C-alpha cells in the first residue's frame, strides 16, 4: 500500500485568536477546529498555526522583524517566543483533549533564517513523528537570522517549506475570510470570491487581491498567497477556506465540496 | 579578548517541583533560583531543568521509556511532552521576569535517540542563541528513538552532551541534597558528604554512592553522576550543590566557596 501524502493544515492566527484584542484566544474556535481535525481523522497531517494577537503585539513592540540592533530587543525576542508558546499550549491541549496524538515542534529550535528566509531547518524529528503517526504542530515564531540576528518566521513560510520538504499532497489554509477576492470585499462591493485559479493567473491578479488591513508583521492575505507560490509550483494544491465557519476546515480535510479558493499549478 | 566558556547549570526536577505531589511546582524555589541566576549575571550560560513531578507520572503511566509498543502510548507521549512544557513555561516566565533573555530549546524537536542515547542533535540554533548572549533553556523530555520508537531523554544526559558539544567551562548541578555521600544519609548515620573527588575515585565509589529512593524514570543520584562521566573525562568540572538552599547555586555560579561536591578529571 502506498503511503498517503501528508496534508499541511494552516490554522490562521486571526481565526484562533481575537485579532483586535491582544493575547486573547478564540477558545470556542480552537475547540471546534480540534473536533473537526479529530473527526476528519486524516492519515497523515501536519498543523501550522499563526500568532494572531499573541505573536504580533510583542514582536511589533520590540521590532523583532527588523533584526537585532539594540540589546534591549533581546528580552523582547524571549517574550515573543513565550507569547507564541502560550498560544501553542492552548492549541496543543485542545488537540490532545480530542485524543489527537499531537506533538509540538518548536520552530525557533530547528530553524535559522537568512534575511528572513529559512536557511537551515532540522526536519528529522518532524519526519519521524509523521512516520509514527503523530500530528506534528508548528507555529509562527521569533527565530534567529544569520544576517539580521533575529527575524519573524511566519506560519505561512513554514507551511510552504514544510509542504515541499515533506512532499505533501495538499495544503489547506484555514483563515478568517472565505478565500481570495478580486478586490477587498469590505471596500469594493463588486468584489468576487475567486473559487478556482491557477498559479499563472494568480501572479497576474496579485495587485487585485484583497489586502487584509489588520496589523500583521508577517503580511496579510497577499503575503500568504505569495508565500505559497513555491509550494504551488512544486505541484502542491492549495485550498483556502474560512476556519471561522463550522465544518469548512473539516470538509476541506475530507476533500468534500466547500466554499473557498482552490489554487493549483494549472 | 577570549570568549568565556559557557557554564551549564542543571536545575533538578526535585528542586523545582514538589517531588511527592504530581504536577506541583515549587514556585518559591523557581523564583529564587531565577533571582540567583539574574544576580550572578554570568557571561555565558545554558540552563537544563529536570521534570520532577511533572514529567515522571505521565511518562511512567504510559511506559514511554520502555519504547513504543502499543498505539495507546502515542497520546501518552503527547501528554508527557505537554506536562514538561507546562513546567518549562513556568521556569521561562520566572527567568524572563528577572529580565534574563532566556529562550527555550525544545529537546524533542532537535534530538533523536538510539536505545535511549542521543544519536542526532541539531545544535546550531542553541549555539547561535549563546553566541548572541541569550540563555538557552532545555529540559528532560519525551523524545523519538530510532530503535525503540520513544525514549525519555533525561536532563542529565542533556547536560553532559551539551557541555561537551559546547566545550563548556563547567557544570553546576543544582539538586535537592547537599551533594554526593559515601552512603545514603537517610539510612546510614555514618555517611559523609564527599566534598572533593576525582573521576577515577568516583568510579571506585559507585556502589557506595547514595541512591535516591524517589520514583525517577531517569535514575536517581547515581544515574546523574554516571551520566556526567563523559563530560568529566572531557575535562569539564562538576559542582553539585543543594538548589533548595538559598544562594548555593548563586555561589557556585560565582565560583565562591560553597558546601557541595566538586568533581574533576583529576
Amino acid at each position: 500500500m502506498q503511503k498517503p501524502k501528508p496534508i499541511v493544515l494552516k490554522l490562521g492566527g486571526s481565526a484562533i485568536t481575537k485579532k483586535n484584542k491582544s493575547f486573547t484566544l478564540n477558545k470556542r474556535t480552537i475547540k471546534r477546529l480540534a473536533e473537526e481535525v479529530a473527526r476528519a481523522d486524516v492519515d497523515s497531517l501536519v498543523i501550522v498555526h499563526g500568532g494572531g494577537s499573541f505573536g504580533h503585539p510583542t514582536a511589533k513592540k520590540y521590532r523583532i522583524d527588523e533584526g537585532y540592533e539594540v540589546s534591549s530587543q533581546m528580552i523582547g525576542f524571549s517574550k515573543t517566543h513565550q507569547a507564541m508558546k502560550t498560544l501553542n499550549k492552548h492549541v496543543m491541549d485542545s488537540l490532545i483533549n480530542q485524543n489527537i496524538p499531537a506533538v509540538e515542534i518548536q520552530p525557533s529550535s530547528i530553524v535559522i533564517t537568512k534575511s528572513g528566509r529559512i536557511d537551515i531547518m532540522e526536519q528529522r524529528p518532524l519526519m519521524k513523528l509523521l512516520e509514527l503517526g503523530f500530528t506534528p504542530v508548528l507555529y509562527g515564531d521569533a527565530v534567529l537570522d544569520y544576517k539580521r540576528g533575529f527575524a519573524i518566521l511566519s506560519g505561512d513560510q513554514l507551511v510552504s517549506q514544510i509542504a515541499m520538504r515533506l512532499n505533501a499532497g495538499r495544503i489547506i489554509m484555514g483563515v478568517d475570510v472565505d478565500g481570495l477576492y478580486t478586490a477587498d470585499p469590505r471596500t469594493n462591493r463588486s468584489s468576487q470570491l475567486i473559487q478556482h485559479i491557477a498559479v499563472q493567473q494568480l501572479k497576474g491578479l496579485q495587485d487585485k487581491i484583497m489586502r487584509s488591513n489588520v496589523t500583521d508583521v508577517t503580511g496579510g492575505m497577499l503575503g500568504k498567497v505569495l508565500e505559497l507560490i513555491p509550494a504551488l509550483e512544486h505541484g502542491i494544491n492549495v485550498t483556502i477556506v474560512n476556519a471561522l465557519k463550522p465544518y469548512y476546515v473539516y470538509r476541506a480535510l475530507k476533500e468534500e465540496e466547500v466554499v473557498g479558493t482552490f489554487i493549483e499549478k494549472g
Side-chain angles (χ1 to χ4, degrees), chain A residues 87-156:
Chain A
L87 172 58
N88 175 254
K89 191 176 176 317
H90 285 282
V91 173
M92 301 309 295
D93 285 343
S94 300
L95 293 168
I96 293 171
N97 275 343
Q98 296 295 326
N99 225 30
I100 297 163
V103 179
E104 163 201 25
I105 290 279
Q106 180 197 341
S108 42
S109 65
I110 62 164
V111 168
I112 299 180
T113 54
K114 189 180 275 178
S115 302
R117 310 303 305 169
I118 292 172
D119 188 54
I120 66 148
M121 181 175 180
E122 169 59 73
Q123 65 203 42
R124 285 170 290 182
L126 168 63
M127 288 175 82
K128 187 147 178 64
L129 279 174
L130 209 54
E131 189 190 298
L132 290 173
F134 285 99
T135 298
V137 180
L138 298 92
Y139 45 91
D141 201 0
V143 297
L144 298 178
D145 188 286
Y146 283 126
K147 288 265 166 133
R148 302 184 197 154
F150 309 148
I152 294 294
L153 173 62
S154 72
D156 299 318

Side-chain angles (χ1 to χ4, degrees), chain A residues 117 160-161 164 199 225-236:
Chain A
R117 310 303 305 169
S160 195
Q161 273 288 326
M164 288 187 286
V199 181
V225 172
L226 294 179
E227 278 297 358
L228 298 175
I229 288 177
L232 281 158
E233 287 180 335
H234 199 263
I236 303 164

Side-chain angles (χ1 to χ4, degrees), chain A residues 44-118:
Chain A
S44 185
L45 180 69
V46 179
I47 295 174
V48 178
H49 67 78
S53 69
F54 276 77
H56 301 313
T58 317
K60 205 181 167 193
K61 179 179 172 190
Y62 289 94
R63 299 184 295 110
I64 301 303
D65 205 31
E66 293 171 31
Y68 182 16
E69 284 167 1
V70 290
S71 62
S72 58
Q73 286 177 294
M74 289 179 74
I75 200 76
F77 183 94
S78 296
K79 287 179 180 174
T80 303
H81 173 66
Q82 278 304 96
M84 282 310 301
K85 180 168 161 173
T86 303
L87 172 58
N88 175 254
K89 191 176 176 317
H90 285 282
V91 173
M92 301 309 295
D93 285 343
S94 300
L95 293 168
I96 293 171
N97 275 343
Q98 296 295 326
N99 225 30
I100 297 163
V103 179
E104 163 201 25
I105 290 279
Q106 180 197 341
S108 42
S109 65
I110 62 164
V111 168
I112 299 180
T113 54
K114 189 180 275 178
S115 302
R117 310 303 305 169
I118 292 172

Side-chain angles (χ1 to χ4, degrees), chain A residues 8-17 29 32-33 36 47-50 156 159 171-179 221 224 228 238-245 248-250 252-253 259 261:
Chain A
V8 179
L9 170 64
K10 170 86 192 291
L11 299 178
S14 359
I16 61 171
T17 71
T29 302
R32 177 178 50 74
L33 289 167
E36 292 184 24
I47 295 174
V48 178
H49 67 78
D156 299 318
V159 163
I171 290 171
I172 298 168
M173 301 292 287
V175 296
D176 65 337
V177 290
D178 281 349
M221 185 61 78
K224 280 186 205 309
L228 298 175
V238 174
T239 307
I240 305 175
V241 290
N242 195 332
L244 292 174
K245 295 192 174 168
Y248 277 45
V249 164
Y250 171 84
L253 285 168
V259 171
T261 300

